[in-house]
Amino acid sequence: MAEVVDLTGDGGVLKMVVRKAKDDAIAPSDSLPLVDVHYEGTLAENGEVFDTTHEDNSIFSFEIGQGAVIKAWDIALRTMKVGEVAKITCKPEYAYGSAGSPPEIPPNATLIFEVELVACRPRKGSSLGSVSDEKARLEEIKRQRELAAAVKDEEKKKREEAKAAAAARVQAKLDAKKGKGKGKGK
């Protein structure tokens, strides 16, 4: 059986590695604080799943150390590497405490998460690579907007031409009726 590590020293956050990452895998750091994870959360008392990204195969992203997630995640994710899967047991003090998170999580609940660290990234604009990626993304958006504007202008021009042609036809019919009317009256 895999070793259980007490990450807080008080039994509040326990981690057991389910699948090790490759030795050369990267880990979250001050320069790579944004993390993407897959997870499934269960209640320790009955094993009931209260949240998961597995059903819709989504990714949950957050920045470590910003209080965006429960304390246990900020603590445990710092110890993981990309590709690692770990079972993290969180006592209430490191999760939702005495308030819980109704209706899914009752007060004073111990939670168990199986978490896979999928990726870690720098903040936007914090590295040359991400700056050039962001610039390329913005250029692509600009190009797409310009194309859409050109298509819209072309469609507007066609509508105006069609309107003018329809108006000319109506005017021609009116002129023809006027001409016929004069001829009959004489």
Side-chain angles (χ1 to χ4, degrees):
M1 180 144 168
E3 176 187 4
V4 175
V5 179
D6 183 348
L7 299 178
T8 54
D10 62 359
V13 182
L14 304 175
K15 175 185 164 190
M16 181 180 77
V17 175
V18 174
R19 183 181 75 211
K20 282 187 69 167
K22 293 180 179 174
D23 291 335
D24 61 347
I26 60 173
S29 64
D30 289 340
S31 61
L32 299 170
L34 299 176
V35 295
D36 298 334
V37 299
H38 272 301
Y39 70 91
E40 181 167 274
T42 58
L43 299 174
E45 69 180 81
N46 60 14
E48 181 181 317
V49 174
F50 62 84
D51 196 11
T52 182
T53 60
H54 296 295
E55 285 179 3
D56 60 1
N57 199 29
S58 62
I59 296 282
F60 177 67
S61 302
F62 67 96
E63 185 172 347
I64 287 182
Q66 298 300 307
V69 293
I70 60 173
K71 289 182 211 169
W73 274 37
D74 270 337
I75 293 165
L77 267 294
R78 289 179 191 275
T79 71
M80 295 178 70
K81 289 184 171 186
V82 172
E84 179 178 327
V85 177
K87 188 168 278 194
I88 301 164
T89 302
C90 320
K91 294 291 184 197
E93 311 79 77
Y94 294 92
Y96 294 98
S98 60
S101 184
E104 292 85 9
I105 302 168
N108 298 311
T110 295
L111 310 177
I112 300 172
F113 290 94
E114 186 166 289
V115 180
E116 176 185 5
L117 179 55
V118 177
C120 40
R121 309 172 267 115
R123 283 181 201 89
K124 284 188 176 175
S126 65
S127 74
L128 291 177
S130 64
V131 169
S132 62
D133 289 348
E134 184 67 5
K135 190 173 182 179
R137 187 183 73 78
L138 292 173
E139 284 296 324
E140 178 61 20
I141 289 171
K142 182 180 175 185
R143 190 183 69 73
Q144 288 174 357
R145 285 184 178 157
E146 287 169 350
L147 272 172
V151 166
K152 206 173 190 178
D153 287 345
E154 187 62 32
E155 288 172 352
K156 184 178 179 183
K157 186 178 173 184
K158 285 180 182 177
R159 281 193 309 273
E160 287 171 355
E161 287 172 356
K163 222 186 233 182
R169 285 192 303 274
V170 167
Q171 189 59 51
K173 284 182 181 179
L174 288 174
D175 290 346
K177 283 184 179 181
K178 278 184 187 176
K180 287 182 182 177
K182 287 180 184 175
K184 288 183 181 175
K186 289 185 178 178

